[in-house]
Amino acid sequence: MTESRRRQPPGLNGPISWKFLTQSPLTFINGLAEQYGPVARFDVAWYRYHVLSHPDHVLRVLQERAGNYTKETHDYWLMKQIMGTSLLTGDGNLWKQRRRLIQPLFQRRQLEHMAIQTVAATDAMLERWLKQTRDGAPLEMVSELVQLTLRVVGRTLFSTDLVDEAPAVGTAVHSINELANWNWKTLVAMIPVLNYPYQRASGVLNQLIQSLVTARKSDLEPSGDLLTALVQARDEETGQPLTDIEIRNEAMTLMLAGHDTTAHHLAWTMILLAQHPQVMEKWQAELQTVLGDCPPTLADLPRLSYTRMIVEESMRLYPPVWAIPRAVTEDDELSGYHIPAGSYVLLAIYHLQRDPQWWTNPNEFRPERFDRAIEPAPRPGAYAPFGWGPRTCVGAQFATAESQVILARLGQRCQWKLVPGQQIVPEGLITLMPRNGVRMQVQPRV
Ligand code: HEM
């Protein structure tokens, strides 16, 4: 390798930086990208990280050289403690086999079923809200939306209502996020004995999933949902079914990956709409014209184009997966800098999607920038809320359709505003969420 190809990127010197220990992960990563440019280096003990913030890096790492960038990272290791090795956390042949098996489950018929379940779940939530808030009492919106998306995933993928289990699932997700934060700063969670919150949360979720799998195996007339597909799946070469552990890992993954991200995305969208009355007004006009009082269906979504733009713009400003990590298995060169095998990269999606090089007035909430009739598509790699390349989110269509249906139903039936005086601070843990939740006042739309 020539000297220039071994050029080290700029960044923080020393085995650990004070900023790393004291700043929030989001502030730290954005700060490095801003200060040092497209490739920024930092070390945590003997681990070397590179923060990447150029659209070409997204293409290179997640598509062109995807085979040389694996999920053997510290964040995925944390997730594996609860989900095991699965479509989300695994690599290589296991990933290929699971992707082939699971992707077809997100096709149109499933999405139609999801849209119906979503309207029913949203209506039930609205009934409860309107009773609870009659005297003007505010709601904590993040936890409301987490319950809602959990219910949708449960009914759609497992034909069951997971809401009774919501506290257990909530505790598990919370402990993953908390540990991610703590662990991010100190890495001490790499020591197995300190992983007690994981073990406990994992135990509760294991029991839940195991009982669902057992029930499905003895079902005489199984439904066509994800759980049935996992139970009935056979390996193409060996004809072997998935083991109970493998079924459990995939079911757990889809339950966890499939609700928290969408709930946080919806919370950010409701916040943005509350902060931008002119967007809200234009959006209301679309809902009225396209839907009137009829509940939204999957077939309505192509005509709800402003709703789609709102969803896309909200995911640009607040990408639920705000940074994508990978482990480097072969030496590479990015923006002229040497990226050695054995180091880690973090694609700084939040930063990339607000970079003025690729976005005009990047911090402004302007859904029209996603109107393809008037604006060109973003530069490839500059917008990647669902990742990129072969490992792009398997639930992307599901999540986008679900978000549009939920928002449309909420917009038809109620209006909301932020409780004044609260500070809304983004916190980037595993997902990007409002640090202390968000309180809103909700009223029926008359
Ligand atoms: C707004 C909602 C969502 C966002 C922003 C989101 C984002 C992402 C991103 C960025 C990735 C790629 C991660 C990486 O490359 O390291 C991913 C992967 C994945 N997501 Fe999502 N996701 C969402 C909803 C969902 C839903 C609803 C499901 C399932 C029901 C789901 C299941 C998965 C799975 C299984 C993977 C791994 C795919 C693979 O590696 O082949 N996600 N998601």
Side-chain angles (χ1 to χ4, degrees), residues 62 71 76 86-90 95 98-99 102-103 106 153 157 250 253-266 315 318-326 349 384-388 390-396 398-400 402-403:
L62 298 182
K71 291 202 174 180
Y76 276 110
S86 69
L87 172 62
L88 178 67
T89 58
W95 167 75
R98 300 293 157 79
R99 184 90 191 192
I102 291 170
Q103 186 150 324
F106 289 96
V153 161
L157 302 183
E250 296 305 337
T253 294
L254 291 162
M255 176 176 76
L256 295 179
H259 82 283
D260 210 38
T261 39
T262 315
H264 291 134
H265 157 63
L266 285 166
M315 274 197 224
Y318 296 102
V321 178
W322 63 281
I324 298 182
R326 288 291 187 271
I349 304 298
F386 289 110
W388 200 273
R391 302 213 62 168
T392 190
C393 177
V394 79
F398 182 102
T400 314
E402 179 190 0
S403 300

Side-chain angles (χ1 to χ4, degrees), residues 25-77:
L26 186 68
T27 310
F28 178 70
I29 297 299
N30 286 343
L32 284 183
E34 251 152 55
Q35 191 176 349
Y36 297 108
V39 184
R41 157 185 64 80
F42 69 97
D43 294 328
V44 181
W46 49 89
Y47 300 106
R48 160 122 332 162
Y49 285 85
H50 302 94
V51 176
L52 307 179
S53 55
H54 192 285
D56 292 350
H57 301 158
V58 171
L59 306 187
R60 174 89 167 186
V61 170
L62 298 182
Q63 185 153 31
E64 290 155 23
R65 295 280 169 104
N68 296 346
Y69 289 91
T70 71
K71 291 202 174 180
E72 292 289 316
T73 67
H74 149 244
D75 304 61
Y76 276 110
W77 179 87

